[in-house]
Amino acid sequence: MSKPILVLNCGSSSIKYQMIDVESEELLAKGIVQRIATGTTGTVDHEVLVGEIGEHHVDQLLDDHETALATVFGLFDEHGPDLTSTIAVAHRAVHGGDKFADPTLVTDEVVDTLRELSPLAPLHNPAGISGIEAARKLLPDVPHVGIFDTAFFARLPAEAYTYAIDVDLAKRTRIRKYGFHGTSHQFVSQEVAKLLGRDDLKQIVCHLGNGASVSAVDSGHAIETSMGLTPLAGLVMGTRSGDIDPGIVGYLNRELGLSCAEIDDELNKRSGMLGLTGHTDMRDVETAINAGDEQARLGLDVYIHRLVFYIGGYAALLGGLDALSFTAGVGENAATVRSEVCARLGVFGVKLDEEANAQRSKQARIISAPDSSVAVLVVPTNEELAMVRQAAELLG
Ligand SMILES: Nc1ncnc2c1ncn2[C@@H]1O[C@H](COP(=O)(O)OP(=O)(O)O)[C@@H](O)[C@H]1O
Ligand SMILES: CC(=O)OP(=O)(O)O
Ligand SMILES: [Mg+2]
């Protein structure tokens, strides 16, 4: 008798989901919903991996997350696996502020608090809340668990999470570094430890997806990470600027009369690789570079420069570096990005095995040369499996 947990990762216009058996950790089904609430036809791709194995596609106008989830649940009913056997739903609830770190049983009060925290993660929390509300309506009889992206960073050292602003202002507003992608950084750092057979590692994990962040992990504990109060800080991302001079915000307001909301939008949605190159997707950036597009080349240089800057700083903070790992869409797939980053890390004794780096594989693997001082790895992240494990732990 399988005990499936449904995992939901709701974005503003998308929902990624998986159904995983909590005991065998077998993936039973997975899917993705795209273009929710965009006014254009949405799509649902549902893949069944047990019983009547198959892939199913639906095109439909999806006005909101509830409609989208209802369509997904319809596909479960029609093609399986059996949704009524689900024992719990695990939700990626990005920003827990200083209210939530550990996996939390979702109640009405929890939803209210998440709503209060929404301004801290404007791209993420509202979508997460819509998903939680829709799923609770459609599956009212099972526990729903919120898993926070901030959890792994809740115990950062004070010197790392404190901003150099007035102490009372920071206290009153709860402004501090929270950090994100924690589920992924924790999962990947544990996989690296397993692969290298050592727990006492000084590690840097590069989670390079659409959102991107880097973390420093010392013997399993996070000591630094590049995202901050919000998921806007740090690395150059698909559409987010990452670090900029904070003076730019006031300057844009004074010079162009842009409002706070407009500046937020500019930095979150029209900056990063999109702003620099006109492309959000790293594959399109690479294609443009290969076609001789100099602006795209500069965009990638900025991306790499920022990442190398963080890795160097984190190696110093860690007091050494045993392992450097790459994960998420760009980290797992873009061999050129890994190669260009590592080429600039010779000062730390990093030596890539270019052949191993160029190989395509879905397996976690070492890509450094045998005489490299630092083990370099590619580790596919699995936030969904990590979420199932955390939900299972909470539910006993
Ligand atoms: N083969 C590839 N080469 C380079 N980049 C890739 C490749 N496949 C995916 N990506 C990048 O991965 C990004 C998505 O990463 P992902 O971790 O799925 O992001 P998110 O979870 O934030 O949606 C895409 O924007 C794309 O740039
Ligand atoms: C927090 C965050 O940036 O998440 P994502 O990469 O899914 O946008
Ligand atoms: Mg992701």
Side-chain angles (χ1 to χ4, degrees):
M1 183 64 189
S2 79
K3 287 188 177 168
I5 290 187
L6 181 66
V7 187
L8 296 180
N9 179 353
C10 293
S12 52
S13 69
S14 72
I15 301 176
K16 293 182 192 166
Y17 62 91
Q18 290 192 3
M19 188 191 239
I20 298 175
D21 180 73
V22 66
E23 276 165 1
S24 67
E25 296 194 340
E26 185 185 4
L27 181 59
L28 309 173
K30 65 174 181 174
I32 182 164
V33 188
Q34 296 181 88
R35 290 193 293 281
I36 303 168
T38 55
T40 59
T41 307
T43 57
V44 186
D45 289 284
H46 180 72
E47 196 175 341
V48 184
L49 298 151
V50 287
E52 295 264 322
I53 292 169
E55 289 176 27
H56 308 277
H57 178 89
V58 171
D59 291 308
Q60 188 189 317
L61 196 63
L62 304 166
D63 285 333
D64 49 34
H65 285 74
E66 194 175 343
T67 317
L69 267 190
T71 306
V72 170
F73 285 13
L75 285 165
F76 271 101
D77 281 344
E78 198 176 333
H79 303 288
D82 179 15
L83 250 192
T84 59
S85 60
T86 303
I87 60 160
V89 184
H91 297 268
R92 180 178 179 218
V94 170
H95 210 314
D98 59 356
K99 306 279 195 233
F100 309 110
D102 297 327
T104 302
L105 201 61
V106 177
T107 60
D108 292 341
E109 291 74 48
V110 169
V111 175
D112 287 343
T113 309
L114 284 176
R115 201 168 278 121
E116 284 162 27
L117 294 169
S118 275
L120 292 174
L123 290 191
H124 297 88
N125 272 33
I129 294 164
S130 312
I132 288 173
E133 292 193 313
R136 287 178 84 208
K137 261 192 210 161
L138 293 163
L139 283 175
D141 300 324
V142 299
H144 291 249
V145 180
I147 312 281
F148 295 90
D149 251 37
T150 43
F152 187 49
F153 303 115
R155 286 163 205 88
L156 284 180
E159 65 182 38
Y161 72 66
T162 304
Y163 288 115
I165 60 171
D166 179 78
V167 175
D168 295 323
L169 176 68
K171 265 206 188 113
R172 204 167 67 224
T173 53
R174 300 195 172 94
I175 290 179
R176 55 159 279 178
K177 173 178 283 194
Y178 289 99
F180 302 87
H181 296 135
T183 307
S184 178
H185 285 284
Q186 183 173 32
F187 177 84
V188 169
S189 58
Q190 288 170 346
E191 290 294 299
V192 169
K194 263 192 246 166
L195 224 85
L196 300 181
R198 264 179 65 190
D199 290 328
D200 60 338
L201 291 169
K202 294 184 184 299
Q203 296 195 44
I204 294 177
V205 179
C206 305
H207 175 108
L208 311 177
N210 211 350
S213 63
V214 54
S215 70
V217 181
D218 198 348
S219 300
H221 302 284
I223 64 149
E224 248 302 358
T225 192
S226 58
M227 283 179 166
L229 171 76
T230 73
L232 180 56
L235 301 177
V236 178
M237 309 181 215
T239 64
R240 286 170 251 169
S241 62
D243 295 340
I244 57 164
D245 174 355
I248 291 173
V249 175
Y251 185 81
L252 283 175
N253 169 259
R254 289 188 304 274
E255 289 301 305
L256 300 182
L258 296 186
S259 68
C260 287
E262 286 167 334
I263 297 170
D264 246 7
D265 247 31
E266 185 63 35
L267 298 178
N268 273 296
K269 298 181 181 163
R270 288 188 295 280
S271 297
M273 293 313 277
L274 179 63
L276 285 168
T277 71
H279 307 287
T280 304
D281 195 301
M282 193 57 85
R283 286 166 289 200
D284 299 332
V285 175
E286 288 179 345
T287 306
I289 291 173
N290 292 335
D293 182 336
E294 282 176 24
Q295 195 55 44
R297 184 60 254 180
L298 174 63
L300 186 61
D301 287 342
V302 176
Y303 184 99
I304 306 268
H305 175 102
R306 183 87 51 86
L307 183 53
V308 169
F309 169 86
Y310 268 97
I311 293 170
Y314 285 4
L317 289 173
L318 285 163
L321 183 60
D322 299 309
L324 171 68
S325 55
F326 292 91
T327 193
V330 175
E332 290 167 32
N333 297 298
T336 38
V337 170
R338 295 192 300 258
S339 172
E340 290 190 23
V341 169
C342 290
R344 295 206 196 176
L345 296 173
V347 65
F348 300 108
V350 170
K351 272 191 214 157
L352 208 58
D353 175 342
E354 290 294 347
E355 216 168 285
N357 180 49
Q359 265 164 26
R360 299 209 145 270
S361 161
K362 292 269 166 233
Q363 298 292 313
R365 63 194 197 278
I366 298 172
I367 57 167
S368 44
D371 60 340
S372 178
S373 312
V374 178
V376 183
L377 303 96
V378 179
V379 178
T381 193
N382 194 338
E383 290 159 290
E384 291 77 13
L385 177 60
M387 285 170 64
V388 161
R389 287 176 183 165
Q390 291 184 51
E393 208 174 295
L394 174 74
L395 299 170

